[in-house]
């Protein structure tokens, strides 16, 4: 089943995000290579493709896991959480309808 991982960033976390990004992306690439990643990306803090110094408000990841517990465990091990980028992370079941 798919699960939506919705994370909210701490204030002024852009430098932390930039430092942890390679490790964060490596985990997402693993999900993608396994055919389990539906989508992933940051939530810009401003209405712009490149928010510049405004940074990001959080992230959205939708991926397939065997259970809610597995999805929560994967989210809890995210480098962004470990390195203080994320203030809060929620994991919820997600049902893909379209496309």
């Amino acid at each position: 089943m798919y699960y939506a991982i919705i994370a909210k960033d701490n204030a002024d976390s852009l430098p932390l995000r930039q430092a942890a990004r390679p490790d964060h992306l490596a985990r997402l690439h693993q999900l993608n290579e396994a055919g389990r990643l539906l989508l992933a990306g940051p939530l810009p803090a401003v209405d712009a493709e490149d928010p510049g110094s405004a940074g990001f408000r959080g992230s959205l990841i939708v991926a397939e896991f065997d259970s809610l517990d597995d999805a929560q465990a994967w989210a809890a091990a995210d480098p962004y959480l470990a390195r203080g980028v994320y203030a809060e992370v929620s994991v919820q079941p997600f049902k893909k309808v379209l496309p």
Side-chain angles (χ1 to χ4, degrees):
M1 176 168 198
Y2 284 112
Y3 294 88
I5 300 168
I6 305 162
K8 294 182 182 177
D9 282 14
N10 280 305
D12 302 317
S13 63
L14 184 58
L16 298 173
R17 179 182 272 272
Q18 290 167 331
R21 188 170 190 263
D23 293 335
H24 171 78
L25 289 178
R27 296 179 79 235
L28 292 172
H29 285 297
Q30 289 174 345
L31 283 178
N32 192 48
E33 290 166 6
R36 296 171 44 204
L37 184 64
L38 184 62
L39 65 90
L43 306 171
V46 295
D47 187 11
E49 182 76 21
D50 179 358
S53 63
F56 300 93
R57 293 189 190 280
S59 300
L60 171 63
I61 300 164
V62 180
E64 188 176 18
F65 294 92
D66 290 334
S67 67
L68 178 60
D69 287 341
D70 287 347
Q72 289 171 328
W74 188 90
D78 194 301
Y80 280 178
L81 185 60
R83 296 185 193 166
V85 176
Y86 292 157
E88 176 183 329
V89 178
S90 69
V91 181
Q92 303 168 31
F94 178 84
K95 181 176 177 170
K96 181 182 178 202
V97 175
L98 293 171

